[in-house]
């Protein structure tokens, strides 16, 4: 599918070795992730995901969590500069939140949409410029993977087996080919990888 703007749809997510984006305790179980998210490799990776992006596409739960945490980091002069960079980008950039329950956005530069992720991506790709970043929201990444609408995956792989929790790559996805365009391994065994869709 061609579009007039050439905007890429990118997505970032952290996974355990067994492919989980949360632990067996449910959506807020990030025990296996905690030791790795503030490493040098993870922070460099976080900078990489937003540098080319001009739109953040978020699910409601992620939006509430992110906007409850990151704005204060943007104003914290003692925070890591990479954390502040990401925080300022998130506060200042255009945000589109997919939700069936929110009626209005409690954050600036944000609009709430109740529509399928594929439809929203089609609309966003029709105008503007810069990457559209699906920001750690598996509820949006999954339907876009199913529809083969993602152009780039930013993945952090953490060297732990969660043994339960939700998986990103479900059975039944269309067969697709990806090229590894960046890889970095940290001292704890965490790996940052960037995959581009080969079309």
């Amino acid at each position: 599918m061609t579009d007039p703007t050439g905007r890429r749809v990118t997505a970032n997510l952290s996974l355990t070795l067994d492919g989980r984006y949360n632990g067996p305790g449910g959506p807020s179980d990030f025990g296996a992730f905690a030791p790795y998210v503030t490493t040098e490799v993870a922070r460099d990776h976080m900078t990489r995901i937003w540098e080319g992006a001009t739109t953040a596409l978020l699910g409601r739960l992620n939006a509430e969590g992110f906007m409850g945490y990151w704005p204060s980091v943007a104003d914290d002069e003692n925070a890591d500069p990479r954390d502040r960079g990401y925080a300022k980008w998130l506060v200042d950039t255009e945000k589109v939140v997919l939700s069936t329950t929110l009626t209005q956005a409690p954050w600036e530069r944000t609009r709430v949409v109740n529509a399928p992720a594929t439809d929203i991506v089609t609309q966003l790709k029709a105008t503007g410029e810069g990457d559209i970043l699906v920001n750690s929201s598996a509820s949006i990444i999954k339907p876009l993977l199913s529809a083969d609408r993602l152009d780039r995956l930013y993945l952090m792989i953490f060297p732990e087996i969660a043994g339960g929790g939700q998986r990103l790559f479900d059975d039944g996805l269309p067969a697709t080919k990806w090229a590894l365009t960046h890889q970095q391994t940290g001292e704890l065994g965490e790996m940052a990888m960037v995959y581009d869709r080969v079309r």
Side-chain angles (χ1 to χ4, degrees), residues 74-93:
D75 297 328
D76 183 357
E77 294 181 7
N78 297 314
D80 185 284
R82 293 163 294 188
D83 292 355
R84 286 192 78 190
Y86 170 77
K88 287 179 177 179
W89 170 82
L90 185 63
V91 169
D92 293 341
T93 200

Side-chain angles (χ1 to χ4, degrees), residues 101-107 110-112:
T101 55
L102 282 179
T103 54
Q104 59 185 33
W107 316 286
T110 305
R111 61 189 170 102
V112 175

Side-chain angles (χ1 to χ4, degrees), residues 36-187:
Y36 310 99
V37 294
T38 56
T39 65
E40 293 298 303
V41 167
R43 282 189 158 125
D44 287 347
H45 189 68
M46 186 166 63
T47 299
R48 199 175 297 116
I49 69 171
W50 66 261
E51 280 184 322
T54 55
T55 303
L57 190 52
L58 298 149
R60 178 184 61 83
L61 288 176
N62 274 56
E64 289 175 346
F66 286 5
M67 298 314 291
Y69 174 77
W70 286 107
S72 63
V73 177
D75 297 328
D76 183 357
E77 294 181 7
N78 297 314
D80 185 284
R82 293 163 294 188
D83 292 355
R84 286 192 78 190
Y86 170 77
K88 287 179 177 179
W89 170 82
L90 185 63
V91 169
D92 293 341
T93 200
E94 173 194 26
K95 291 170 286 292
V96 179
V97 176
L98 270 60
S99 175
T100 57
T101 55
L102 282 179
T103 54
Q104 59 185 33
W107 316 286
E108 292 183 2
R109 289 174 284 284
T110 305
R111 61 189 170 102
V112 175
V113 182
N114 181 1
T118 50
D119 293 354
I120 300 307
V121 161
T122 298
Q123 293 171 16
L124 289 171
K125 284 175 71 85
T127 59
E129 57 186 22
D131 290 350
I132 301 157
L133 171 64
V134 184
N135 205 351
S136 294
S137 296
S139 63
I140 301 173
I141 297 171
K142 284 184 170 194
L144 294 179
L145 277 172
S146 293
D148 192 18
R149 296 299 305 277
L150 287 178
D151 303 305
R152 170 171 280 188
L153 278 171
Y154 295 98
L155 297 178
M156 282 293 305
I157 309 296
F158 299 139
E160 303 214 8
I161 292 174
Q166 293 171 289
R167 293 184 190 274
L168 175 61
F169 300 109
D170 295 323
D171 288 346
L173 287 173
T176 52
K177 183 178 174 70
W178 299 78
L180 180 65
T181 57
H182 180 88
Q183 180 180 350
Q184 189 177 2
T185 304
E187 293 179 0

